[in-house]
Amino acid sequence: MQAEVAASWKPWLPGASPNIMKILLVNPQQIYSRRKWGRSYHRIWPPLCLANCAAVLEQQGYEVKLIDVQAEDLSPDEVARKAVGFNKVFITSTSVDRWYCPYLDIQPFLSTVKSVGSVVEQVFVLGAHGTLNPKEMLNLTGARAIVRGEPEETVLDLCRTDNLLKVKGITFREEGEVISNETRRPLDLASLPIPAFHLLAMEKYRHEVLGLNFTLFEASREGVSRYAFPFDGYRSRTRRKPVENTLREIHYAVAKFGIKTAYFIGPEFTGARDQVLKLCDGLIQRDYDFHWACQTRPELIDKELLQKMKRAGCRLIYFVIDAGNDKVPEAGSREMTSRQIEDKIKSVHTLGIESACFFMVDFLKATGEEMERILRLARRINPTYAFFHVTVPYSGTGFPGFPGRINGSSGRFFDEGPFLEIPRGHLTLEELKRLIHRAYWSYYLRPTYICSRLIRGNLQSLTRQLHLFRTFL
């Protein structure tokens, strides 16, 4: 194991001599944030983008500390006290900066930036919000610069120089003028070292279904697809990490930190079928005590692939279900009817893998009749876990039916602020909340569902599901 891990720790970017600059990376608190249209589950997941940045910096000789406020439950003032003495501080607004559902209520993040900025002169901001609206985030935070897009290379360059004009992928203010430097090219994932798991509170992370001893792995970064609408600044072709690198990361996490559960982050894990089969072969050969989850689309799975994933430890698959209509797809289309989706989910269950389906409620079409139609679809598909969410049209994502940039669209939203969350449709905000609330009760309190879970589930799994159910009510 030692030789395998050591082989991965090679200098990542040439040309920088080691130095003793002290760098702090911060993932702020989000636990007291609530979506305006209802509750959501607040995950205690590792801030993977910061762990990547930390690994890159450590390889270049920097002294790095990472504070995960979400896991350690610290106040902004406590973070500020810990930040004293650091040369540069990087604070992210989204702990997995390419993830497609960032919080739009960023007050916890802003409070942390303000507190840290009172004791450290050079504070930099990362994350989806700054990538989307760099000028506005610059005004809100007073940061030295905003990092746009993937942070790993940019953070390293910001530590190497104080001349911001030389750093690609940032927006900053110089003599009253806002300057946005050239956008950085997409990162080659093969160049990334193993994330700096040793700087994280690994014992505190958990998955809402899989349980403790949990972490994240990133096998790919997806571009634009039918269910993936990345923010401006993250758009690129889909890039995949070499399977050997991913297996090395898994081995390190399992051997060093006792990781037993993981989530392969990204919306289309099985998009590269051959790569997934190769990864599964590697996991089967190593025979870890290790279970994992992923997300994909129903049309990207088949029996052979599912069988191999099951043998490799896959226990749960997330799906986003398009409940928009059930028209017969055109010839050559990859779209599926609800009956075809139902058959795919049944094939997952037949192999003993659990399913979690996100049913998206169109904010423009949300009515009682529309929700009942979605509920009928959910009952037919019958996933192990069902989630009902209002589709939030993030600005800059090119979401269908809501073209263009939506921030600041007067009169079209219930809320106000730099990142608007609740668009106006047929229902009031309170009616929308009640609609979602009833959907959860209607799905999970069915006698047939309860009986099936009692028969199939163990006590620990049922306890976790009860907790998960309560968070949405």
Side-chain angles (χ1 to χ4, degrees):
M1 187 274 282
Q2 292 179 344
E4 186 175 10
V5 172
S8 70
W9 289 84
K10 300 175 181 178
W12 183 65
L13 291 175
S17 59
N19 56 70
I20 57 173
M21 183 180 289
K22 296 178 64 177
I23 308 300
L24 177 62
L25 308 172
V26 180
N27 180 40
Q29 177 74 279
Q30 289 285 0
I31 201 73
Y32 56 88
S33 173
R34 287 289 183 268
R35 291 190 186 278
K36 299 178 182 66
W37 49 265
R39 293 190 178 189
S40 61
Y41 187 81
H42 295 277
R43 297 182 169 103
I44 309 297
W45 285 12
L48 191 58
C49 76
L50 295 186
N52 285 334
C53 292
V56 169
L57 291 171
E58 283 192 328
Q59 285 199 345
Q60 297 298 322
Y62 294 92
E63 182 179 340
V64 183
K65 182 175 181 179
L66 199 164
I67 299 178
D68 186 357
V69 184
Q70 179 80 335
E72 299 182 37
D73 194 21
L74 303 173
S75 70
D77 288 342
E78 288 174 313
V79 178
R81 285 194 289 271
K82 291 178 178 290
V84 173
F86 284 89
N87 301 98
K88 297 184 179 183
V89 180
F90 296 85
I91 305 177
T92 184
S93 65
T94 45
S95 59
V96 183
D97 64 353
R98 286 153 305 282
W99 198 230
Y100 303 100
C101 304
Y103 289 104
L104 297 184
D105 176 5
I106 59 171
Q107 190 55 51
F109 158 79
L110 293 175
S111 298
T112 302
V113 174
K114 180 179 179 180
S115 293
V116 173
S118 68
V119 297
V120 178
E121 182 178 351
Q122 296 201 61
V123 176
F124 302 86
V125 165
L126 323 176
H129 305 85
T131 297
L132 173 61
N133 280 345
K135 184 176 180 180
E136 189 144 24
M137 285 295 283
L138 198 62
N139 293 333
L140 284 171
T141 63
R144 182 70 184 94
I146 306 296
V147 174
R148 308 191 316 270
E150 297 174 323
E152 291 90 353
E153 289 181 301
T154 306
V155 166
L156 179 59
D157 283 352
L158 285 169
C159 292
R160 284 173 163 170
T161 181
D162 289 327
N163 186 347
L164 299 186
L165 291 171
K166 293 183 177 181
V167 181
K168 294 180 180 179
I170 65 170
T171 296
F172 61 100
R173 182 175 280 105
E174 194 73 31
E175 297 181 353
E177 179 185 358
V178 174
I179 300 172
S180 288
N181 290 352
E182 175 186 351
T183 298
R184 191 176 291 274
R185 295 183 62 182
L187 179 70
D188 177 7
L189 299 188
S191 67
L192 282 175
I194 293 175
F197 294 131
H198 61 284
L199 296 180
L200 297 173
M202 295 295 283
E203 73 283 357
K204 295 183 181 292
Y205 300 117
R206 62 181 181 270
H207 185 272
E208 55 268 28
V209 174
L210 301 180
L212 299 172
N213 304 106
F214 170 75
T215 196
L216 297 176
F217 296 111
E218 183 182 43
S220 62
R221 293 183 183 177
E222 279 78 9
V224 181
S225 70
R226 186 179 172 204
Y227 294 128
F229 303 100
F231 290 100
D232 291 338
Y234 297 118
R235 295 177 185 272
S236 70
R237 60 179 176 82
T238 295
R239 290 156 291 148
R240 305 196 181 278
K241 186 178 293 183
V243 172
E244 296 77 12
N245 293 29
T246 304
L247 287 170
R248 193 177 298 124
E249 291 179 15
I250 295 170
H251 181 81
Y252 177 67
V254 170
K256 183 73 173 178
F257 303 101
I259 291 300
K260 295 182 180 295
T261 62
Y263 180 80
F264 288 97
I265 199 159
E268 297 176 2
F269 176 73
T270 59
R273 187 177 185 275
D274 291 344
Q275 185 185 37
V276 175
L277 288 172
K278 185 177 179 181
L279 177 64
C280 289
D281 284 336
L283 291 173
I284 293 168
Q285 181 181 4
R286 287 159 175 77
D287 193 26
Y288 299 126
D289 179 15
F290 173 71
H291 300 281
W292 48 275
C294 64
Q295 179 175 320
T296 190
R297 306 202 314 263
E299 62 265 36
L300 295 178
I301 58 174
D302 57 71
K303 184 177 180 180
E304 179 190 3
L305 181 60
L306 289 172
Q307 288 174 332
K308 186 66 68 73
M309 290 170 64
K310 172 65 176 177
R311 288 184 59 201
C314 180
R315 182 175 154 189
L316 172 68
I317 303 177
Y318 290 86
F319 298 95
V320 176
I321 303 300
D322 183 1
N325 60 66
D326 197 25
K327 296 178 181 178
V328 177
E330 297 178 2
S333 171
R334 297 176 68 185
E335 295 184 20
M336 304 181 74
T337 66
S338 60
R339 180 62 64 185
Q340 290 172 321
I341 294 173
E342 182 182 352
D343 291 339
K344 289 287 188 177
I345 302 302
K346 282 183 179 178
S347 69
V348 171
H349 295 167
T350 299
L351 289 170
I353 302 174
E354 294 186 333
S355 63
C357 291
F358 296 98
F359 295 91
M360 309 309 293
V361 182
D362 191 323
F363 62 94
L364 292 176
K365 300 177 182 178
T367 62
E369 292 181 357
E370 175 67 8
M371 178 55 77
E372 184 55 40
R373 188 188 66 77
I374 292 173
L375 274 170
R376 287 197 299 269
L377 175 63
R379 295 186 194 109
R380 283 216 327 266
I381 294 175
N382 199 33
T384 315
Y385 308 95
F387 302 95
F388 302 94
H389 292 286
V390 175
T391 303
V392 178
Y394 291 123
S395 176
T397 59
F399 185 85
F402 212 121
R405 308 189 67 84
I406 62 175
N407 290 50
S409 301
S410 176
R412 303 184 71 179
F413 288 80
F414 288 113
D415 53 344
E416 297 179 356
F419 298 95
L420 303 175
E421 183 172 356
I422 306 300
R424 295 182 183 274
H426 296 288
L427 303 179
T428 67
L429 183 56
E430 287 305 315
E431 289 172 332
L432 198 58
K433 289 180 180 179
R434 289 196 295 269
L435 202 66
I436 298 296
H437 190 276
R438 286 201 305 268
Y440 279 104
W441 280 100
S442 177
Y443 185 84
Y444 282 106
L445 295 186
R446 293 175 295 147
T448 54
Y449 180 84
I450 294 173
C451 289
S452 67
R453 291 300 292 148
L454 289 172
I455 293 171
R456 291 185 298 169
N458 57 49
L459 181 59
Q460 190 176 49
S461 173
L462 290 172
T463 301
R464 291 194 194 113
Q465 184 168 4
L466 178 61
H467 174 69
L468 185 63
F469 174 63
R470 290 177 61 189
T471 63
F472 287 97
L473 298 180

